[in-house]
């Protein structure tokens, strides 16, 4: 069936094969092709991007001293540069080590090509099995196309399901090993202390045992759902395909036996060429003729049984081969991939296995930086030359460097992250203060409902001051005494938020600080000190990322 398709549509088949091969090559070399095209397009004469940008002598309106053309060039080349400090490099290495994924890689392209070959081989085998059973009553050509489509779908599901099952087995067995170490260690430490994504400092659980570090990054819940479902699916397909093959073989053998027996009867009755005519008187008795027919028929049946047993053994071998191919796909999924939730991101940021030391990172990054700086100098030279030839009345002395652009871009990004983080913290503090105020109001209502003396009404909670979400000293005393930690936390958060609001008014800040109690003042002072130290550490880390590349 497949050979008929190849003979009927050879151009289509070769076009698909060449397209698939070109797609694989492009995917493997896509980053290199983009880098080559950027440099080629910039260096192209007359209509190249460098020639066009050199005509733009307008400065940016933000007062930074950059020309618009310089910013455009730097932005284009910045897309190929990932500024990474040595601290970040070690963080990613530490993540892979603690999750147990150090040394592992993604599935190689050669393995994916082999998996695709599995799909086509299995589709061809299933196509022969399903031919004639997919759309009963349809034409033979329609049945062939339908069987190929269904067979390809089944094969693709098998291949990818087994691949994911292998990855699930790798992750779940790693968790099981961590649990066993946890039990063997006497359960002295906790199995999971906290989630450790790649964005968190990886040294926060250095004091924990190895199994805790693994569970912090991989998880604690084992799952074999995909594995069991895949196993059932593969067994069902193997049994079903074998059953269909056997039924098809039995059908063919029965038809062959009937045809051979009919030919024997025709030959014996004279219907076939050269046979005896039983309607005419002969010297051979009727009993002997019937005995010969029975003997020939038994010989045909025995030959059919031999062929049928051969078919069955062949079909069982094909079923075992199918199961082995699926097991091999499971092995591929188990061998490659990452158990850590952010293992693939860490591996990708390490150059997909190309960077083993931080020196490798700097060497690879420096190559892009040097090329970008060279292009920027060419642009600045052309701008200066164009200004000298045309004369605009404005001095053109571009002196910016590509590292300056990276430094400014990194600083702007850090300021944006800090602003968003501050807004998120303020929102959390506001929500916490609202929840504390609502809890105090609820407790006040419960205390008022429990009072038996009807003479004195319940003292209501004092209204919220405009500068403070809640004034704990004026709240109901019994309610505050029941939850002192929650009230104190709300007071500290509200005080920090009010001090941030009064940043530009030193006099009001001083008056507000004097109004705080000694306990609240000490906690606010400590919280502000910790926040300042964290901001300074983040700023030093941000500056070191660029200084490492200078």
């Amino acid at each position: 069936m497949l050979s008929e398709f190849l003979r009927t549509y050879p151009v289509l088949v070769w076009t698909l094969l060449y397209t698939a091969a070109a797609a694989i090559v492009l995917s493997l070399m896509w980053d290199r092709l983009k880098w080559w095209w950027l440099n080629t397009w910039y260096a192209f004469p007359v209509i190249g991007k460098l020639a066009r940008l050199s005509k733009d002598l307008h400065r940016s309106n933000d007062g930074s001293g950059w020309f618009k053309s310089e910013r455009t060039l730097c932005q284009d080349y910045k897309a190929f540069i990932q500024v990474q400090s040595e601290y970040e490099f070690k963080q990613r290495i530490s993540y892979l080590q603690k999750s147990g994924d150090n040394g592992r890689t993604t599935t190689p392209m050669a393995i994916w090509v082999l998996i695709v070959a599995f799909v086509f081989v299995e589709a061809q085998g299933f196509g022969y099995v399903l031919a004639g059973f997919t759309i009963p009553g349809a034409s033979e050509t329609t049945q062939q196309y339908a069987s190929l489509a269904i067979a390809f779908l089944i094969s693709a599901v098998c291949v990818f399901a087994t691949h994911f099952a292998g990855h699930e087995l790798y992750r779940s067995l790693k968790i099981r090993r961590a649990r066993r170490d946890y039990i063997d260690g006497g359960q002295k430490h906790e199995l999971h202390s906290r989630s450790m994504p790649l964005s968190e400092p990886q040294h926060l659980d250095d004091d924990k045992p190895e199994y805790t570090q693994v569970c912090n990054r991989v998880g604690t819940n084992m799952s074999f759902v995909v594995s069991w479902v895949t196993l059932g699916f593969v067994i069902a397909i193997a049994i079903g395909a074998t059953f269909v093959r056997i039924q098809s073989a039995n059908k063919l053998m029965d038809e062959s036996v009937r045809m051979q027996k009919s030919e024997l009867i025709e030959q014996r009755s004279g219907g076939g060429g050269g046979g005896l005519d039983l309607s005419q008187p002969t010297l051979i008795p009727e009993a002997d003729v019937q005995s010969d027919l029975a003997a020939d028929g038994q010989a045909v049946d025995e030959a059919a049984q031999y062929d049928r047993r051969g078919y069955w053994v062949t079909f069982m071998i094909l079923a075992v081969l199918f199961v082995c191919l699926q097991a091999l796909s499971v092995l591929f999924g188990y061998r490659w991939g990452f158990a850590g939730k952010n293992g693939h991101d860490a591996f990708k940021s390490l150059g997909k296995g190309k960077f083993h030391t931080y020196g490798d990172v700097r060497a690879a990054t420096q190559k892009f930086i040097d090329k970008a700086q060279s292009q920027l100098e060419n642009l600045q030279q052309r701008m200066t030359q164009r200004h000298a030839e045309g004369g605009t009345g404005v001095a053109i002395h571009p002196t910016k460097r590509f590292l300056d652009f990276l430094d400014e871009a990194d600083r702007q990004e850090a300021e944006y992250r800090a602003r968003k983080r501050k807004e998120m913290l303020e929102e959390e503090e506001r929500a916490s203060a609202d929840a504390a105020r609502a809890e105090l109001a609820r407790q006040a209502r419960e205390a008022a409902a429990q009072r038996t003396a009807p003479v004195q009404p319940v003292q209501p909670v004092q209204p919220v001051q405009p500068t403070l979400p809640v004034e704990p000293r004026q709240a109901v005393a019994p309610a505050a005494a029941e939850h002192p930690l929650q009230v104190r936390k709300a007071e500290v958060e509200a005080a920090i938020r009010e001090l941030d609001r009064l940043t530009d008014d030193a006099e009001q800040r001083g008056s507000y600080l004097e109004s705080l109690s000694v306990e609240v003042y000490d906690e606010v002072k400590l919280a502000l000190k910790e926040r300042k130290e964290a901001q300074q550490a983040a700023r030093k880390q941000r500056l070191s990322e660029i200084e490492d590349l200078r």
Side-chain angles (χ1 to χ4, degrees):
M1 181 172 53
L2 184 59
S3 59
E4 294 179 1
F5 181 80
L6 295 176
R7 288 194 300 268
T8 307
Y9 304 101
V11 177
L12 176 61
V13 172
W14 286 111
T15 301
L16 292 176
L17 290 177
Y18 284 133
T19 303
I24 294 174
V25 173
L26 286 176
S27 63
L28 292 175
M29 305 181 60
W30 182 245
D31 293 336
R32 296 182 181 179
L33 287 175
K34 289 194 301 182
W35 176 251
W36 170 83
W37 174 249
L38 177 67
N39 292 301
T40 302
W41 182 234
Y42 261 91
F44 207 84
V46 183
I47 61 174
K49 198 166 185 179
L50 192 64
R52 291 187 291 109
L53 288 178
S54 62
K55 301 177 182 179
D56 187 2
L57 302 180
H58 295 86
R59 293 183 180 271
S60 299
N61 298 327
D62 54 4
S64 60
W66 285 93
F67 289 89
K68 293 182 178 180
S69 55
E70 291 178 322
R71 280 191 178 277
T72 301
L73 184 145
C74 292
Q75 193 66 42
D76 290 342
Y77 277 89
K78 181 179 178 295
F80 293 88
I81 297 175
Q82 294 181 354
V83 179
Q84 184 178 172
S85 64
E86 187 173 3
Y87 171 79
E88 291 178 333
F89 177 82
K90 292 181 178 179
Q91 287 289 97
R92 286 154 175 77
I93 292 291
S94 177
Y95 182 91
L96 293 177
Q97 289 176 343
K98 292 184 176 182
S99 63
D101 291 331
N102 191 32
R104 292 179 66 89
T105 62
T106 55
T107 305
M109 182 57 63
I111 298 300
W112 280 116
V113 172
L114 185 61
I115 290 175
V116 172
F118 286 171
V119 172
F120 283 103
V121 171
E122 293 174 357
Q124 183 178 3
F126 284 132
Y128 285 108
V129 175
L130 298 176
F133 294 94
T134 52
I135 308 177
S139 63
E140 183 179 357
T141 304
T142 303
Q143 288 182 347
Q144 290 178 355
Y145 289 144
S147 63
L148 279 177
I150 297 175
F152 183 82
L153 180 62
I154 294 175
S155 302
V157 171
C158 286
V159 169
F160 287 102
T162 51
H163 184 79
F164 288 124
H167 183 267
E168 182 188 62
L169 284 174
Y170 170 70
R171 178 182 176 276
S172 298
L173 293 179
K174 184 174 287 294
I175 296 175
R176 175 180 290 181
R177 191 178 303 112
R179 286 181 176 272
R180 186 174 61 249
D181 295 341
Y182 167 68
I183 295 174
D184 294 342
Q187 303 181 7
K188 297 179 180 179
H189 302 274
E190 51 191 346
L191 179 65
H192 179 272
S193 60
R194 55 176 296 173
S195 297
M196 291 296 299
L198 190 60
S199 57
E200 293 289 336
Q202 299 300 309
H203 67 273
L204 296 179
D205 59 352
D206 284 347
D207 57 333
K208 304 296 181 182
E210 183 178 352
Y211 56 80
T212 303
Q213 296 176 357
V214 170
C215 292
N216 287 346
R217 292 158 181 83
V218 178
T220 58
N221 298 324
M222 295 183 294
S223 175
F224 298 96
V225 176
V226 177
S227 302
W228 285 113
V229 171
T230 302
L231 178 62
F233 183 73
V234 169
I235 293 177
I237 293 298
I239 295 176
T242 304
F243 177 78
V244 172
R245 286 188 173 108
I246 291 175
Q247 294 301 315
S248 300
N250 289 338
K251 180 181 177 181
L252 292 176
M253 293 304 301
D254 291 341
E255 292 179 355
S256 176
V257 168
R258 285 195 299 269
M259 291 178 61
Q260 292 182 32
K261 288 184 176 181
S262 299
E263 291 177 357
L264 289 174
I265 294 174
E266 291 179 359
Q267 290 176 2
R268 292 297 181 181
S269 63
L276 295 176
D277 188 0
L278 299 181
S279 62
Q280 302 294 332
T282 61
L283 299 177
I284 302 176
E286 180 67 21
D288 293 341
V289 173
Q290 295 299 329
S291 177
D292 291 341
L293 287 175
D296 292 340
Q298 184 178 0
V300 170
D301 291 335
E302 291 178 355
Q305 287 297 327
Y306 295 146
D307 291 339
R308 186 176 286 110
R309 294 191 188 99
Y311 280 129
W312 290 354
V313 174
T314 303
F315 295 155
M316 284 189 290
I317 293 175
L318 291 176
V320 172
L321 180 60
F322 170 76
V323 174
C324 290
L325 287 178
Q326 307 315 309
L328 186 60
S329 184
V330 172
L331 180 62
F332 289 160
Y334 184 89
R335 171 60 181 82
W336 288 283
F338 305 93
K341 298 178 181 178
N342 300 126
H344 184 270
D345 296 333
F347 177 76
K348 183 178 179 181
S349 62
L350 293 175
K352 298 180 179 180
K354 294 185 297 183
F355 304 147
H356 300 286
T357 63
Y358 187 65
D360 298 336
V361 178
R362 294 190 61 178
T365 306
Q366 193 64 41
K367 178 185 69 174
F368 293 102
I369 293 177
D370 292 343
K371 184 61 178 179
Q373 179 63 30
S374 175
Q375 293 286 49
L376 180 61
E377 292 176 357
N378 291 337
L379 174 63
Q380 292 171 345
Q381 182 180 2
R382 292 194 180 193
M383 292 172 61
T384 303
Q385 182 178 359
R386 182 173 295 276
H387 168 68
E389 294 175 354
T392 60
V394 180
I396 299 295
H397 299 291
T399 58
K400 293 290 187 178
R401 300 182 306 163
F402 183 68
L403 285 176
D404 298 333
F405 179 82
L406 292 179
D407 193 9
E408 291 181 12
D410 184 72
R411 185 171 60 254
Q412 292 175 0
E413 183 178 355
E415 292 175 353
Y416 174 78
R417 290 198 303 264
R419 184 170 63 255
K420 289 297 182 182
R421 189 181 302 111
K422 181 179 178 181
E423 294 176 356
M424 181 182 65
L425 293 176
E426 290 178 350
E427 184 65 26
E428 292 178 354
E429 293 173 356
R430 190 179 303 108
S432 177
D434 293 341
R437 185 166 58 251
E439 179 66 17
L440 291 174
R442 185 188 64 79
Q443 294 173 1
R445 290 193 299 270
E446 291 178 356
Q450 293 176 358
R451 292 181 181 177
T452 57
V455 178
Q456 296 294 335
V458 178
Q459 182 68 25
V461 180
Q462 295 296 330
V464 181
Q465 299 297 328
T467 59
L468 281 175
V470 64
E471 185 65 33
R473 290 191 294 268
Q474 295 179 355
V476 178
E482 292 179 3
H483 298 275
L485 296 178
Q486 186 176 6
V487 174
R488 177 63 56 79
K489 181 180 178 180
E491 288 181 352
V492 173
E493 293 174 350
I496 293 176
R497 188 167 57 256
E498 182 64 17
L499 290 174
D500 291 338
R501 190 182 68 84
L502 299 175
T503 302
D504 299 331
D505 196 332
E507 184 177 354
Q508 289 190 12
R509 283 172 62 90
S511 301
Y512 180 72
L513 288 173
E514 292 178 357
S515 65
L516 299 176
S517 62
V518 178
E519 295 81 2
V520 175
Y521 178 83
D522 292 338
E523 294 189 14
V524 169
K525 180 180 177 181
L526 180 61
L528 292 176
K529 181 180 179 181
E530 293 177 352
R531 187 175 70 176
K532 183 177 180 181
E533 291 176 353
Q535 292 175 349
Q536 290 177 349
R539 183 173 180 274
K540 291 179 180 179
Q541 177 183 347
R542 186 177 68 250
L543 294 177
S544 67
E545 296 173 358
I546 299 300
E547 292 297 332
D548 289 340
L549 300 174
R550 291 182 182 276

